[in-house]
Amino acid sequence: EATGRPRAQIQLVADYARRQGLWSSPDETPAYADVIEIDLAAITTSLAGPRRPQDRIAPSETAQTLAATRPSKSLQRHGDNVPPDGAVAIAAITSCTNTSDPRLVIAAGLLARKARRFGLTPPPWVKTSLAPGSPRAARYLARAGLKEDLEAVGFGIVGYGCTTCIGNAGPLTEIMSSAIQAHDVNAVAVLSGNRNFPGRVHTELNAAFLASPPLVVAYALAGDVNRDIQTDPIGVSKTGEPVYLRDLWPSGPEIDTALRAGVDPADVAEAFERAEASPAWAALQAPATPVFPWDAASTYICRPPFATATAQTRLGHYIATPLIALGDDITTDHISPVGQIPADSDAGRYLIERGENANDLNVYAARRANWAVMMRGLFTNRNVANLLDATLPAGQTIHAPSGERMALWRAAEQYAKENRSVVVLAGARYGMGSSRDWAAKGVALLGVRAVLATSFEQIHRTNLIGMGVLPLRLPPGLQPSALNLSVQDRIEIAAAPEQLKVRGAVPVTLYRASGKTETFTATAAVETSLEIEILRSGGIIPRILARVMQPPPPE
């Protein structure tokens, strides 16, 4: 009812839920397998950060946790005209997670209204934005009279859908970017999204705090995270009085009143219909041929090498060269970036050579259908360290036979020509973060046959198998950082297709360049017999294509 569904559809859902035993009624007691009691009085305001979404902290701990990201450099001010360490470079209400709740967006608008009355605005170094998930948000904010208030404190609507949360924030303010370059200012982003890994929000920012929409507005007004936002002044009013969060925070009844004034169930369908009626959308050309007409000149859509029915399994008994060795918490953003494509990067040069404008290369997320671009961006996040050699820049390795330093994708091409197998090693929680399939596709394009890690994020583990890459769990206590691998070392893996079992043991032998030999047993991070069949087929795409291309059985 709240989203304008037709009465017949609402009744259908209700009838179905009742018949399936899924209908919730206040006078019934569901039979739960587990019951968790939560003391609501003990719940406090919190944020997450500054580098992982699972790291919940109190607002009083922002400065402390930020300082811990750079222990050798204490937070400091750099002069009256320079943003301090801890300055908020980006404050963004994004389309995902808690922002999809109209109540929280309304709360942000009410906080902005009160801040506007006090005469508060963000400092000049803060880049602010509001990007709801749907035009519906613009409608209920305008109807509640809050759209103008948000715009007055910098939170005008910049678009709908993923923006800052996926690295599409655009350039920082000039004053902020200059401070980072000239003074090494440790600036942060504050956003209402769900990912805050280093470099994801912006390549110049290694720290970000996840907060609710109203808190995002509060931090934008404060301009830094060097305070307890709940007890310290946020700013000074136009009459010279300190303004605190308690002066701005809306009450429950205030939010309820604004919600009633703003939300209209008809908005959902109307916003959708208006978007569907877009002339730009209607003008898009789409091929009508049975088979997609690949355009060799396109820099956006290229046929990927893995779209084939003839792929060979990567399983087997082989000796491999380590392509890259990584530490803990390597996220999908570290593996395959989504943000801006730098003109001086391998991916940027590739596009420029093909006629693209160096000042408008777009973002990796927009180029995800161009496998050559995506492959050139693999592991180029500046926080990625290749443990094979500490002096290697991000995205590079050493070609073992020649000793030459080169980009991972170039080394992978060279190893393929030499018919050498390659593997990747990583620490704990490998592949956590957004479960974007390109993190697995990219590793497969490098020719990797197996990833040996302390532990895997579950969805990324599945994605690796879907690309035919075998995920192997290292034995407990064995960390890649402790192995002290070099590119001259060799790793023998006994994972023949007919021998692989669900969670089965896989013998691994490490041949050191010094002549020493070490052995250990890894565990196949394979959970089902279907996953084994996918690995034996070379991946999910060749498995599907092989099945649909089989001739029909004789009648």
Side-chain angles (χ1 to χ4, degrees):
E1 290 178 345
T3 53
R5 262 56 176 186
R7 172 55 54 187
Q9 185 180 14
I10 294 172
Q11 189 61 49
L12 175 65
V13 172
D15 290 344
Y16 175 83
R18 287 190 178 97
R19 294 183 187 186
Q20 294 296 319
L22 300 175
W23 188 259
S24 178
S25 176
D27 57 358
E28 295 178 357
T29 303
Y32 293 115
D34 296 292
V35 176
I36 300 172
E37 293 187 4
I38 299 174
D39 180 3
L40 296 181
I43 295 177
T44 59
T45 301
S46 62
L47 301 93
R51 289 186 168 178
R52 302 190 308 179
Q54 65 263 43
D55 293 334
R56 186 181 67 85
I57 63 170
S60 60
E61 299 171 347
T62 50
Q64 174 187 344
T65 55
L66 179 62
T69 65
R70 297 167 69 174
S72 61
K73 184 177 185 292
S74 61
L75 299 183
Q76 57 184 295
R77 300 200 69 88
H78 302 274
D80 293 338
N81 297 320
V82 180
D85 285 327
V88 176
I90 291 175
I93 300 176
T94 62
S95 63
C96 47
T97 326
N98 52 35
T99 314
S100 62
D101 182 354
R103 187 176 185 86
L104 286 169
V105 180
I106 289 286
L110 289 170
L111 191 146
R113 171 177 289 174
K114 295 185 180 186
R116 183 183 182 189
R117 290 171 180 168
F118 279 110
L120 300 183
T121 55
W125 59 75
V126 183
K127 182 171 188 175
T128 53
S129 64
L130 167 58
S134 164
R136 177 196 182 204
R139 289 168 172 251
Y140 66 67
L141 284 171
R143 198 177 289 117
L146 298 173
K147 188 168 178 283
E148 185 179 329
D149 293 312
L150 282 163
E151 291 171 347
V153 295
F155 287 88
I157 294 177
V158 297
Y160 302 101
C162 296
T163 52
T164 297
C165 51
I166 201 169
N168 289 344
L172 302 180
T173 63
E174 185 176 346
I175 183 175
M176 189 74 258
S177 188
S178 297
I180 292 173
Q181 298 299 321
H183 302 279
D184 194 27
V185 168
N186 192 7
V188 307
V190 181
L191 67 155
S192 64
N194 59 6
R195 296 290 184 268
N196 59 340
F197 304 114
R200 176 185 171 98
V201 174
H202 196 280
T203 55
E204 291 185 273
L205 303 177
N206 278 328
F209 294 94
L210 306 180
S212 66
L215 273 183
V216 169
V217 177
Y219 276 106
L221 297 169
D224 63 63
V225 296
N226 303 327
R227 68 190 74 203
D228 183 344
I229 197 80
Q230 291 186 291
T231 59
D232 296 333
I234 289 177
V236 179
S237 71
K238 51 191 173 185
T239 60
E241 298 296 322
V243 179
Y244 296 86
L245 187 62
R246 60 178 178 266
D247 300 321
L248 305 178
W249 201 262
S251 67
E254 286 177 309
I255 298 173
D256 293 337
T257 299
L259 271 173
R260 285 193 296 270
V263 173
D264 185 340
D267 282 345
V268 176
E270 291 175 5
F272 180 83
E273 290 168 3
R274 184 173 180 180
E276 281 284 288
S278 164
W281 175 255
L284 284 176
Q285 298 298 311
T289 54
V291 179
F292 185 79
W294 300 100
D295 180 2
S298 175
T299 59
Y300 277 95
I301 303 178
C302 308
R303 180 174 178 173
F306 48 74
T308 176
T310 59
Q312 300 297 311
T313 182
R314 298 175 191 237
L315 298 176
H317 193 145
Y318 52 89
I319 297 178
T321 297
L323 184 65
I324 187 171
L326 305 157
D328 295 340
D329 296 321
I330 296 298
T331 72
T332 51
D333 286 297
H334 290 115
I335 302 168
S336 181
V338 293
Q340 199 69 37
I341 300 175
D344 60 352
S345 66
D346 282 0
R349 285 189 286 269
Y350 173 85
L351 290 169
I352 293 169
E353 289 169 2
R354 282 152 183 77
E356 292 291 334
N357 183 349
N359 296 318
D360 187 22
L361 297 178
N362 215 320
V363 294
Y364 283 102
R367 301 278 185 180
R368 71 184 78 186
N370 185 326
W371 64 271
V373 170
M374 301 301 288
M375 185 174 66
R376 284 163 171 77
L378 293 170
F379 295 103
T380 55
N381 183 296
R382 62 178 180 173
N383 294 286
V384 173
N386 190 342
L387 301 180
L388 297 176
D389 188 318
T391 65
L392 283 167
Q396 290 198 11
T397 191
I398 299 173
H399 177 240
S402 65
E404 182 182 352
R405 294 165 174 253
M406 60 179 67
L408 284 166
W409 66 274
R410 287 193 180 279
E413 283 186 345
Q414 193 62 32
Y415 284 132
K417 291 177 183 177
E418 298 163 355
N419 200 28
R420 286 173 176 257
S421 298
V422 293
V423 294
V424 168
L425 291 96
R429 298 170 294 277
Y430 178 75
M432 70 176 186
S434 300
S435 56
R436 290 178 294 105
D437 54 357
W438 253 107
K441 288 176 179 175
V443 168
L445 283 173
L446 294 177
V448 173
R449 299 184 70 166
V451 175
L452 297 87
T454 305
S455 63
F456 294 89
E457 191 280 333
Q458 180 69 357
I459 299 179
H460 182 64
R461 180 201 67 83
T462 304
N463 286 345
L464 285 173
I465 291 172
M467 293 307 300
V469 178
L470 175 63
L472 291 173
R473 289 192 184 93
L474 294 169
L478 184 60
Q479 297 282 342
S481 56
L483 289 173
N484 294 318
L485 289 172
S486 78
V487 292
Q488 300 302 330
D489 294 331
R490 297 291 180 267
I491 301 173
E492 182 179 12
I493 296 176
E498 65 278 5
Q499 295 175 339
L500 188 67
K501 293 181 173 57
V502 172
R503 303 176 193 170
V506 177
V508 178
T509 303
L510 177 57
Y511 298 99
R512 297 288 189 180
S514 63
K516 293 183 178 181
T517 301
E518 302 171 26
T519 61
F520 57 85
T521 301
T523 302
V526 182
E527 301 298 327
T528 66
S529 58
L530 176 59
E531 290 183 342
I532 290 180
E533 289 302 317
I534 292 171
L535 287 166
R536 288 172 178 168
S537 301
I540 189 69
I541 293 177
R543 174 179 166 81
I544 292 173
L545 292 177
R547 292 179 66 184
V548 300
M549 292 170 64
Q550 285 180 347
E555 296 184 2

